[in-house]
Each structure stands twice: as structure tokens, then as C-alpha cells.
Amino acid sequence: MKVRLATPNDIPALPRIERSAGEAFRGTDQAWIADDIVAEADAYPPLIKAGGVWVAEEDEVVAGFISTQPVAGAFHILELAVGRDHQRKGIGRALMDVALTQARRVGYRAATLTTFRAIPWNAPFYARLGFELLDAPPTALAAILAEEAARGLTDRCAMRLVL
């Protein structure tokens, strides 16, 4: 497996990976996520241009990605997705490691994200990586959680990792 910065050529794979990753939600309280709308391809060019998207390749196939952008001075993880056929192989952890290494390299003091509180491969996964639940998220993260709630995403939380 290889993790590298995404290029514009990777863009068509990203929505497919997100849809595939959503299949893992079937059989949970959030099963509707599997049929939900994913980020469209046109959302990625600015993130890629800014150097905020990494992809993981397995056998020369883009198997997963992580997208990030600065939010309120923190390195914010927008999405971490691994295609269903590539899950449980350490790809998500590898993507997170590369992204967080870059965040430290450029001087970020914290990484943040919002995620599902009770889904095992969400908040519990990030907690194992050292992220801590924020009981009182700062304004920018509270606004993201409010936007997510307006889209029907429930049982969400904000987390932070001190870098």
C-alpha cells in the first residue's frame, strides 16, 4: 500500500470510495448513510490544489482517501473513507498517520474532526489514535456539528488531537 498526495486524476475515484465506505453503515442505527448523498467530484479540486487530500493505493487502485482543510487554526479532517473491499487492512490508520505527520510538519498545534459518537469505526477509532472528545466544542466545530444536524446527521461529536 502506498499513501500519496491526491492529484486531479484521482477525483473520479473519491465519490465512489465514499459511497462504498458508506455501505459499512448498513445494519447500524445510521443505515441511511449508505444511501446518502456524498461529496461531488467538484468539491475536491480546491482541496487537492491546497495539498489537503491524500489517497491510499492498494495494488495500484485508489482504495481510500483523507481530505482536510484548516478550520479555526486547526488541521481539520473533513473525511476519511476507505472502500468497503479495502477496509480493516490499516489503510485508514495509514492515511491518518501521513496527514497528521504533514500537519505537524507545517506547524499545526491541533487536529480536529467531527464524527459519529457510537459507531465503532468512528469516534472509538479516533480515540485509539489519541483524539479526545470535546464536551464543549469551540465555535467553529459547533457550527459544523449544527450543519451536520441540519442534514440529519445525529449522534455526532467533535474531537481534537493535540499535535
Side-chain angles (χ1 to χ4, degrees), residues 109-134:
R109 298 176 70 124
T112 60
L113 56 86
T114 60
T115 192
F116 288 102
R117 185 180 309 271
I119 300 289
W121 60 91
N122 278 214
F125 166 76
Y126 296 119
R128 288 191 300 276
L129 298 179
F131 281 81
E132 296 179 351
L133 186 67
L134 297 174

Side-chain angles (χ1 to χ4, degrees), residues 38-130:
V38 299
E40 296 297 327
D42 61 357
Y44 294 104
L47 298 171
I48 289 173
K49 184 176 182 182
V53 181
W54 289 264
V55 296
E57 290 180 324
E58 187 175 55
D59 300 325
E60 299 184 29
V61 171
V62 177
F65 72 92
I66 187 169
S67 60
T68 68
Q69 70 179 19
V71 170
F75 183 81
H76 187 73
I77 291 98
L78 295 167
E79 181 77 28
L80 174 61
V82 176
R84 190 74 170 131
D85 293 341
H86 301 278
Q87 293 176 359
R88 305 197 56 80
K89 297 179 181 179
I91 293 172
R93 182 179 293 270
L95 284 161
M96 188 65 80
D97 286 347
V98 167
L100 293 175
T101 296
Q102 178 61 17
R104 287 181 183 97
R105 185 176 296 129
V106 299
Y108 282 98
R109 298 176 70 124
T112 60
L113 56 86
T114 60
T115 192
F116 288 102
R117 185 180 309 271
I119 300 289
W121 60 91
N122 278 214
F125 166 76
Y126 296 119
R128 288 191 300 276
L129 298 179

Side-chain angles (χ1 to χ4, degrees), residues 17-26 30-31 33-35 82 87:
I17 290 168
E18 191 175 351
R19 274 188 207 90
S20 176
E23 289 297 315
F25 285 89
R26 294 207 190 276
Q30 303 291 338
I33 297 289
D35 300 314
V82 176
Q87 293 176 359

